[in-house]
Amino acid sequence: MRRLFKLLALWLLLATGAAHASTLTISSALSVNGGPDGRLPSSASVPHEVSLPDDWAVTRPDHDGSVWYRAYFIRPADVADNELLALYIERACSNIEVRLNGRRIFSGGRMVEPRTNHCYRPLRITLPAALLSPQDNVLDIEVSGSSLRHVASRARAGGLSQLQIGPQAELVQAYARRHFWNIAVVQVAGVGLLALGGFLLVLSWMNRSEVFLLHFGSLIIGWALLSMRVWWSDLPMTTQTFEFVAASAFAPMLSLAVHFLLSHARTSSRRVSGALLLQCVLVPASLAVAGPDRVFMVANVWFVLMAVELVVAGAWYLKVIWTIRRDDFWPMGLTFGGLGLLVLLELAIQHGALPRLPVHPLSVFSPLLLLVIGSRLLLVFGRAMQAAEANRAQLEIRVAEATAEIERSFMQMSALRMEQVTEKERKRIAADLHDDLGAKLLTIVHTSDSERISSLAREALEEMRLSVKGLTGRPVQLADALADWRAEAVSRLGQANIEADWRNPSEELMQTLSARSFVQTTRILRESVSNIIKHSRASQCKVRVTVSDDDFGLLVQDNGRGISVEPDSRLDRGHGMASMKHRAKTMQGQCLVESAPGYGTLIRLTIPF
């Protein structure tokens, strides 16, 4: 057995004539069917020479299981010793294991059912330098695959392409190109179909009358799921189960496609719907009755029938569209023409009329055409929605114009009346506070023998005067407000033996504050100064005023002990800081507090003019 292998191998080496090329292409190999245990057959099995690529659909139409290939090669002489060599296999269906000089260097996964599927995926395998010999090297390749009659597509029948051995850097481009077109494009297009299909389903749910969105969204989602067979190598099912499911899935896919054409053309047919539903039942039933040995024959009969149905439905659709919506005819016609050519090309390859192409056209290009159709539907639907929205907007404008003048007059009168009543009531309350409560508080201040009562009455009088100023509603000049705030803050800090450092902007201030903003800011500043006096133990307090075109800023900072981290040690025992932040928020501003134990406290107030 070994002598026979070596004699045939020497002849193959001479036949290749590529020993002096940097990349060696092996187009012949010794082949023998594998044993039941998957190991290299015994000496009783006689190998024979086969040409590569070896398509089992032609050379072994009834063989299931493993086939061993043996190829001898000489390490290319013009490749440096330190340069990595690689083996490039364009196609090995379904799965493969590679041995170099008797040592296994690659395994693609499961070699028995459920078998790993690499039918659409190229393989690039690094050849370990330690295992390579300068002269005779032996490649043993075990391919585990299925016979043609057990699969629904010729692309998934077993086989092995030509072998290329050369520098790894040179084979990367061929591998990347093949992987991009056969795997990456299908994956990216599948993700795009899933996203677009989901969006169309949402649109169809929001617009129940547009049934064609539901049909086309379901169609492209189904196609995206079906295309997973191209790039998902380890499907959790046997070849028999997968081929049955894949062949049966084309019937509902065709049904969705025909229903989309009918609904997009604004027509329907109960007979067609009933026939398509019956076909969805007959396809899996016929496959089950025929059995696993006739999958290819039965599936391809149905594929031809469904291709004819799709062509007839597409031609009828284009005829209707030409009559009712001529703008859609050429874009949809060209796209359907491309899909029809892909279907005819697939049928020709399936029946052996054309050789297998390096790129699987139906898997690669049909998702792209479906994306074109989906984009076109979104564009047309968007334009229709835009036109409907424009018409509705015009109607709303006309209705609004008819009632706007009455509403405007009514609102103006109501606002004027409300403002007059509110202003009158504010003035009355302010006068009552000033004349009655103010007089009584002033009497307490001057007649009370208790210093504490007198002090509390004085504070209440100041708060009352501040509230009265807010009720009057008259704006306050910012310069006057700053002068009042500075005088009060410096006086209070000085009484507490705290040095006050107050700085206003140097430029002339022409801005004004509303009465409400003046009152709230005054109370925030008073609360800040009170916290410093009562809790901070500070010796210095800095106040900085900033003014911009839109905002007024006030910064109060002390050098005291800061806010303690203890839960019961808070500067805002009376909810003072929370009150300051709430007051700033009511003015559409913000009050930020920054502090750390031992580093003082900084309060930053910012309010808009």
Side-chain angles (χ1 to χ4, degrees), residues 212-384:
F212 68 91
L213 296 176
L214 172 64
H215 293 144
F216 191 78
S218 302
L219 171 64
I220 61 177
I221 288 177
W223 187 265
L225 296 176
L226 195 60
S227 66
M228 292 170 61
R229 71 190 190 280
V230 174
W231 53 265
W232 191 359
S233 300
D234 290 308
L235 287 169
M237 60 182 71
T238 63
T239 301
Q240 179 180 343
T241 304
F242 170 76
E243 295 298 332
F244 178 83
V245 172
S248 303
F250 278 94
M253 299 290 289
L254 175 72
S255 177
L256 289 171
V258 174
H259 278 104
F260 159 68
L261 296 176
L262 290 173
S263 58
H264 195 243
R266 305 297 180 186
T267 58
S268 61
S269 173
R270 291 186 177 180
R271 291 184 178 179
V272 173
S273 300
L276 291 172
L277 180 61
L278 180 61
Q279 183 172 259
C280 292
V281 176
L282 290 178
V283 171
S286 62
L287 289 170
V289 171
D293 289 338
R294 296 182 179 86
V295 172
F296 182 80
M297 180 185 69
V298 175
N300 277 271
V301 170
W302 280 113
F303 290 162
V304 172
L305 179 60
M306 287 187 279
V308 173
E309 294 173 5
L310 184 62
V311 170
V312 172
W316 176 86
Y317 166 80
L318 292 176
K319 179 182 177 181
V320 175
I321 288 296
W322 177 261
T323 305
I324 63 174
R325 284 199 309 273
R326 194 162 295 186
D327 291 342
D328 288 341
F329 178 81
W330 289 112
M332 300 297 281
L334 292 175
T335 307
F336 284 142
L339 284 173
L341 288 177
L342 289 176
V343 171
L344 293 177
L345 182 61
E346 178 68 17
L347 290 176
I349 295 174
Q350 285 285 82
H351 291 84
L354 290 177
R356 183 183 291 109
L357 300 177
V359 175
H360 192 226
L362 191 64
S363 298
V364 174
F365 297 109
S366 57
L368 302 179
L369 293 177
L370 290 175
L371 285 173
V372 171
I373 296 176
S375 302
R376 172 70 183 174
L377 292 179
L378 285 180
L379 179 63
V380 173
F381 182 77
R383 289 177 178 174

Side-chain angles (χ1 to χ4, degrees), residues 1-29:
M1 181 69 178
R2 291 184 178 177
R3 290 181 180 179
L4 181 59
F5 263 124
K6 288 186 177 181
L7 289 174
L8 291 173
L10 289 175
W11 183 87
L12 290 174
L13 286 174
L14 294 175
T16 57
H20 300 290
S22 60
T23 299
L24 174 67
T25 300
I26 300 177
S27 57
S28 297

